[in-house]
Amino acid sequence: MCGIVGYVGSDQALPIVLEGLRRLEYRGYDSAGVAVLDTGLRVLKRQGKLAELEGALQRETVAGAVGMGHTRWATHGIPSDRNAHPHTDCHGRVAVIHNGIIENFTDLRSQLEKRGHTLDSDTDTECIAHLVEEKLAEESDLAGAVRAALRELEGAYAIVALSMDEPDVMVGAKVSSPLIVGIGEGENLLASDIPAVLSRTRRVLPIEEGRIVEVRADGVVVTDFDGVEVETHPIDIDWDVSRAQKGGYDDFMLKEIHEQPAAIRDTLAARLDATGSLLLDEVRTSEDALREVDKVFVVACGTAFHAGMVAKYAIEHWTRLSVEIEIASEFRYRDPVLDANTLTLGISQSGETIDTLEAVRHAGRQESRVIALTNTIGSSITREADGVLYTHAGPEIGVAATKTFATQIVAAHLLALYLAQVRATMFPHEVAEVVARMRELPQQVERTLRLDEQIRELAERYQAARDFLFIGRHTGYPAALEGALKLKEISYIHAEGYPAGELKHGPIALVEDGVPVVVVATECHVYPKVLSNIQEVKARGAKVIAVATEGDERIESLADHVLFVPRTPELLSPVVVTPPLQLLAYHIAKLRGCDVDQPRNLAKSVTVE
């Protein structure tokens, strides 16, 4: 959610920190600030975008080789200069930045004020700075003071602290929220996400749960909360900063829509062994254990939840296992029935989504086997899970998910086929046939992207609509949900997705003359029923935009507009159907003057409950 960047080295810290913050803008934020150590501690922060902060910095001289920066997404306290990070202690000698939520901050604030501290903001973060101030009087170094302060905190957070008393070190701590170290030559960085450090290094150390990290120019030390040094395992990132840039496109979102064919190819690559069998080594779960599974739970949020709905259809169809899917934020609060024979699939693009993390942790405590499906190597969810299945979408900068949705579906289908292979519910040639059809998806998506001009014309026609309905059946339903989500996320038009059969149970009351209804009407076993649903809304004055299969001659007599996509097996069709829906949302949003990469109130990775 919020962005963290810190630098310790021999170069000037400020330009490096600002560049890192720019690479984290996709996470969403409402204010930004920096703190730099040299002969003193300089802090400057502003409400608004980075440009506001950079404008203020042009009027200041901020030099030093140790510094940190932060982009804030408001939780406690409205967006403002005073609530922006970093926050300092009473004497301006300690500075702290923080992602997450301190749940007991009201009590902490009251106690600090009773002890004579003056707090200048409405944030929970400022309490941490004052706690560290107190602990420095008792501890021998900044790391010890941070460690002591953390014992009084309740919540989920990533914290970075600087102190004038130790101007050569930056101290970070991780509890739930993401934190990584970029390991360089004579310099090291701290950040909340990998793109922030890629201009300086491609060697990254993910900080594990419950760890303190001391970062100096000449090295990094990681300890647990008791101060015991722990072994670390850096990783090398196989994509560079150029993949996180726009590459000639107007927006990251448009670039990432067009990157879907390549992302799908990469996710499918190297998944078969020499015999033609699926090979998913990173799943790290024995075949015997998978044969014992008698039920599957899928937990996810937002777009990942829609991908999980498609996964449910595939797993049930190919393995005959019962599958439940649940919004991750609700999962652990309803006391689900799990045991050693259940398999929990947690889907999260970032691997840091706090609701999904807590859901898979709950499943693990109930002895369920957990497999994580994520795009981010070394993310928190990979360490909570028994096994992992990585998508290979590369960095997705736009807040609205596009290529990660496609690759999540592809990866989930690979897992479903692998379960079918292990459990012998499909013959090997059947698995191979589905994989062959999946390998056709990149080319099919490329063909759907050629609809761009036709979609742009539809966007011009319907950009002023107040409401949209999206409907579909079977796998068309999650595609409809995803289409509606994209439109509301980036254009701020009210849009709802429904199972088409539910129209007559209430939603059809919303249909009146001129209301656009987007219908996923591709070839499927319930296609005749979808045609009936089209006639229902047409009879009430709706303007129907249908996404249909090439060669369908019936649909044009019923719909006002048709977007034809390649013929695709029913379980795979959402991968081909959603790019036109993404483009429709994109063009409408652009025509309405919206920021498609950073929609209001949204963040790329939700790391607070």
Side-chain angles (χ1 to χ4, degrees):
M1 189 169 290
C2 307
I4 284 175
V5 183
Y7 174 82
V8 183
S10 57
D11 289 342
Q12 288 295 305
L14 184 60
I16 297 167
V17 167
L18 289 173
E19 181 182 16
L21 290 178
R22 285 189 207 100
R23 302 200 184 284
L24 297 181
E25 283 191 292
Y26 67 92
R27 295 169 70 93
Y29 67 103
D30 51 54
S31 58
V34 293
V36 177
L37 274 174
D38 191 12
T39 55
L41 175 63
R42 296 293 307 279
V43 175
L44 195 65
K45 49 192 183 175
R46 289 291 184 272
Q47 180 185 349
K49 297 298 185 183
L50 271 174
E52 298 295 326
L53 176 63
E54 290 171 328
L57 286 167
Q58 289 177 359
R59 300 185 292 273
E60 302 278 345
T61 300
V62 182
V66 178
M68 63 185 185
H70 187 269
T71 49
R72 176 180 186 251
W73 191 85
T75 53
H76 295 74
I78 63 171
S80 66
D81 289 356
R82 63 191 288 268
N83 286 331
H85 297 202
H87 290 284
T88 58
D89 68 329
C90 291
H91 307 289
R93 300 186 65 82
V94 172
V96 170
I97 55 179
H98 159 233
N99 289 354
I101 288 179
I102 306 305
E103 294 174 353
N104 61 330
F105 99 100
T106 302
D107 291 339
L108 288 175
R109 184 184 183 102
S110 176
Q111 294 164 14
L112 286 164
E113 289 175 335
K114 287 177 181 177
R115 295 198 293 266
H117 292 267
T118 300
L119 280 76
D120 296 322
S121 76
D122 303 315
T123 69
D124 52 349
T125 305
E126 190 180 0
C127 294
I128 305 170
H130 291 272
L131 279 175
V132 173
E133 173 192 1
E134 288 188 343
K135 303 305 179 184
L136 277 170
E138 307 166 2
E139 301 289 336
S140 60
D141 59 9
L142 179 60
V146 170
R147 190 174 291 113
L150 297 186
R151 295 190 184 104
E152 299 190 28
L153 303 183
E154 297 173 9
Y157 48 80
I159 293 166
V160 181
L162 296 177
S163 171
M164 286 176 59
D165 297 330
E166 288 183 73
D168 65 335
V169 65
M170 179 168 52
V171 176
K174 172 188 165 59
V175 175
S176 295
S177 290
L179 194 64
I180 61 104
V181 175
I183 300 173
E185 295 286 338
E187 62 181 24
N188 293 292
L189 300 95
L190 267 174
S192 51
D193 206 351
I194 291 169
V197 305
L198 286 182
S199 65
R200 309 295 293 191
T201 181
R202 290 170 64 183
R203 190 153 182 77
V204 168
L205 173 64
I207 301 303
E208 296 189 359
E209 187 71 8
R211 297 292 187 254
I212 303 282
V213 55
E214 300 172 56
V215 180
R216 295 177 174 82
D218 59 356
V220 174
V221 176
V222 180
T223 61
D224 62 20
F225 280 9
D226 293 323
V228 178
E229 189 168 348
V230 297
E231 187 178 358
T232 61
H233 303 282
I235 59 177
D236 293 311
I237 302 303
D238 61 2
W239 45 272
D240 60 26
V241 72
S242 66
R243 290 185 65 183
Q245 295 174 336
K246 292 179 183 176
Y249 289 92
D250 290 339
D251 315 275
F252 282 114
M253 182 179 181
L254 186 60
K255 172 178 180 273
E256 289 155 5
I257 289 171
H258 283 269
E259 286 177 339
Q260 287 179 105
I264 294 165
R265 287 189 186 98
D266 289 346
T267 299
L268 286 169
R271 299 297 193 181
L272 296 177
D273 65 16
T275 69
S277 297
L278 276 170
L279 189 66
L280 305 180
D281 287 341
E282 66 263 45
V283 167
R284 299 196 306 266
T285 304
S286 73
E287 294 188 0
D288 286 342
L290 293 177
R291 292 187 190 100
E292 294 298 315
V293 169
D294 57 20
K295 190 169 187 177
V296 178
F297 289 87
V298 181
V299 291
C301 301
T303 287
F305 178 78
H306 301 156
M309 293 176 69
V310 183
K312 169 183 167 68
Y313 290 122
I315 295 170
E316 288 186 337
H317 181 71
W318 288 330
T319 72
R320 309 313 299 159
L321 283 168
S322 174
V323 181
E324 286 191 33
I325 178 163
E326 182 110 26
I327 294 286
S329 57
E330 293 293 324
F331 180 68
R332 65 192 174 116
Y333 297 113
R334 71 169 177 86
D335 195 20
V337 181
L338 303 116
D339 58 31
N341 290 330
T342 58
L343 173 66
T344 300
L345 174 62
I347 307 177
S348 168
Q349 175 275 139
S350 66
E352 304 293 350
T353 307
I354 189 64
D355 295 309
T356 307
L357 276 173
E358 293 297 341
V360 300
R361 286 168 180 157
H362 178 77
R365 289 192 292 269
Q366 305 301 311
E367 300 186 351
S368 171
R369 297 183 184 277
V370 176
I371 294 177
L373 198 159
T374 184
N375 191 46
T376 309
I377 295 171
S379 56
S380 295
I381 200 170
T382 66
R383 296 190 291 277
E384 298 290 343
D386 300 295
V388 184
L389 187 56
Y390 287 109
T391 59
H392 296 285
E396 187 178 68
I397 306 302
V399 167
T402 52
K403 61 179 179 174
T404 52
F405 177 67
T407 55
Q408 284 168 350
I409 292 174
V410 168
H413 279 47
L414 288 172
L415 179 61
L417 290 169
Y418 182 68
L419 287 170
Q421 175 180 286
V422 168
R423 298 168 65 87
T425 55
M426 293 175 72
F427 291 110
H429 76 273
E430 293 176 313
V431 173
E433 182 179 338
V434 176
V435 173
R437 297 302 302 273
M438 291 173 72
R439 285 178 166 166
E440 296 173 6
L441 288 172
Q443 184 178 9
Q444 291 175 330
V445 172
E446 286 170 352
R447 286 165 58 189
T448 68
L449 294 174
R450 296 173 196 161
L451 296 167
D452 186 76
E453 189 57 39
Q454 183 183 353
I455 295 168
R456 190 193 306 265
E457 293 172 1
L458 287 175
E460 290 174 352
R461 183 185 294 258
Y462 293 108
Q463 62 172 301
R466 293 182 305 169
D467 302 280
F468 267 76
L469 291 179
F470 289 72
I471 60 173
R473 285 179 178 263
H474 197 250
T475 57
Y477 170 42
L481 287 173
E482 181 60 14
L485 178 61
K486 290 285 97 60
L487 186 63
K488 72 179 79 172
E489 278 182 316
I490 64 172
S491 76
Y492 318 140
I493 293 174
H494 174 248
E496 297 295 339
Y498 288 101
E502 281 293 291
L503 278 175
K504 53 188 170 290
H505 296 287
I508 202 165
L510 298 173
V511 179
E512 57 187 6
D513 281 345
V515 169
V517 178
V518 180
V519 185
V520 179
T522 47
E523 190 176 82
C524 64
H525 71 285
V526 286
Y527 176 72
K529 296 185 181 296
V530 176
L531 295 184
S532 297
N533 297 134
I534 291 175
Q535 290 170 327
E536 286 175 344
V537 296
K538 283 290 291 180
R540 290 156 177 84
K543 294 293 185 182
V544 173
I545 302 169
V547 182
T549 303
E550 290 173 346
D552 184 347
E553 297 178 356
R554 300 172 63 185
I555 197 76
E556 288 188 285
S557 64
L558 297 175
D560 297 278
H561 316 278
V562 184
L563 299 171
F564 286 110
V565 299
R567 177 171 283 102
T568 313
E570 192 169 353
L571 287 171
L572 304 180
S573 64
V575 177
V576 175
V577 165
T578 49
L581 305 183
Q582 295 163 354
L583 286 170
L584 180 64
Y586 171 83
H587 287 303
I588 289 176
K590 291 289 285 186
L591 288 166
R592 291 166 64 92
C594 301
D595 186 341
V596 297
D597 285 339
Q598 297 178 49
R600 68 188 183 199
N601 302 332
L602 298 180
K604 184 65 177 172
S605 178
V606 179
T607 56
V608 294
E609 285 194 278

